[in-house]
């Protein structure tokens, strides 16, 4: 049987929307788009050309918070914890850039979705 995993997981209209938002049209980018939107954990992307970053910024534009005109937060930002807490408590998206070899252990529970909801 010829099972096409891409067409099984996402329809052509969604792929078209992603392309209009800036995702490149090559098959690998489409597969990465599926991983970003369908994965059970938050994705970590290796993006040397910046194409995925542009796409995610466009895709999440309405849900990104800005600080002093910047929607991206660097891993070395001294207020990263505060910004992460703000976004999580308000249901906003947060894009963290500049992650190299090591990830701050503070992010481990978030990346693994080991989050306890309180209140609201």
């Amino acid at each position: 049987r010829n099972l096409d995993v891409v067409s099984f997981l996402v329809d052509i209209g969604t792929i078209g929307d992603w392309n209009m938002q800036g995702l490149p049209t090559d098959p690998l980018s489409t597969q990465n788009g599926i991983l970003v939107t369908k994965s059970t954990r938050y994705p970590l992307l290796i993006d040397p050309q910046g194409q995925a970053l542009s796409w995610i910024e466009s895709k999440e534009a309405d849900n990104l918070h800005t600080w002093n005109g910047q929607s991206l937060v660097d891993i070395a930002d001294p207020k990263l914890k505060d910004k992460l807490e703000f976004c999580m408590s308000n249901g906003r998206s947060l894009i963290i850039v500049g992650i190299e070899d090591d990830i701050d252990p503070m992010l481990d529970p978030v990346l693994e979705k080991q989050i306890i909801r309180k209140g609201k």
Side-chain angles (χ1 to χ4, degrees), residues 47-58:
D47 187 28
Q49 297 174 336
Q51 294 173 321
L53 181 59
S54 298
W55 171 62
I56 291 175
E57 278 187 289
S58 175

Side-chain angles (χ1 to χ4, degrees), residues 44 53 57 64-85 87 93-104 106-107:
L44 292 174
L53 181 59
E57 278 187 289
L64 281 173
H65 186 77
T66 58
W67 289 275
N68 299 323
Q70 296 292 319
S71 59
L72 305 177
V73 178
D74 193 271
I75 191 72
D77 189 322
K79 295 190 178 192
L80 174 62
K81 182 179 177 189
D82 296 332
K83 293 176 180 181
L84 176 64
E85 184 178 337
C87 288
S93 298
L94 178 68
I95 300 174
I96 302 172
V97 297
I99 298 173
E100 296 292 330
D101 296 331
D102 297 320
I103 297 174
D104 189 328
M106 172 192 69
L107 295 175

Side-chain angles (χ1 to χ4, degrees), residues 1-116:
R1 296 182 176 163
N2 292 332
L3 176 64
D4 180 18
V5 177
V6 172
S7 62
F8 179 75
L9 293 173
V10 68
D11 60 77
I12 193 73
T14 302
I15 294 171
D17 289 343
W18 293 346
N19 296 145
M20 288 186 347
Q21 292 167 339
L23 186 70
T25 58
D26 63 279
L28 182 60
S29 294
T30 301
Q31 292 167 5
N32 286 335
I34 291 170
L35 289 173
V36 166
T37 58
K38 303 284 185 183
S39 65
T40 58
R41 294 185 181 190
Y42 298 110
L44 292 174
L45 301 175
I46 298 171
D47 187 28
Q49 297 174 336
Q51 294 173 321
L53 181 59
S54 298
W55 171 62
I56 291 175
E57 278 187 289
S58 175
K59 184 176 183 339
E60 294 295 320
D62 295 337
N63 202 31
L64 281 173
H65 186 77
T66 58
W67 289 275
N68 299 323
Q70 296 292 319
S71 59
L72 305 177
V73 178
D74 193 271
I75 191 72
D77 189 322
K79 295 190 178 192
L80 174 62
K81 182 179 177 189
D82 296 332
K83 293 176 180 181
L84 176 64
E85 184 178 337
F86 172 82
C87 288
M88 290 182 71
S89 64
N90 291 292
R92 304 296 296 248
S93 298
L94 178 68
I95 300 174
I96 302 172
V97 297
I99 298 173
E100 296 292 330
D101 296 331
D102 297 320
I103 297 174
D104 189 328
M106 172 192 69
L107 295 175
D108 287 342
V110 176
L111 293 172
E112 295 173 9
K113 291 191 175 180
Q114 297 174 344
I115 302 164
I116 299 171

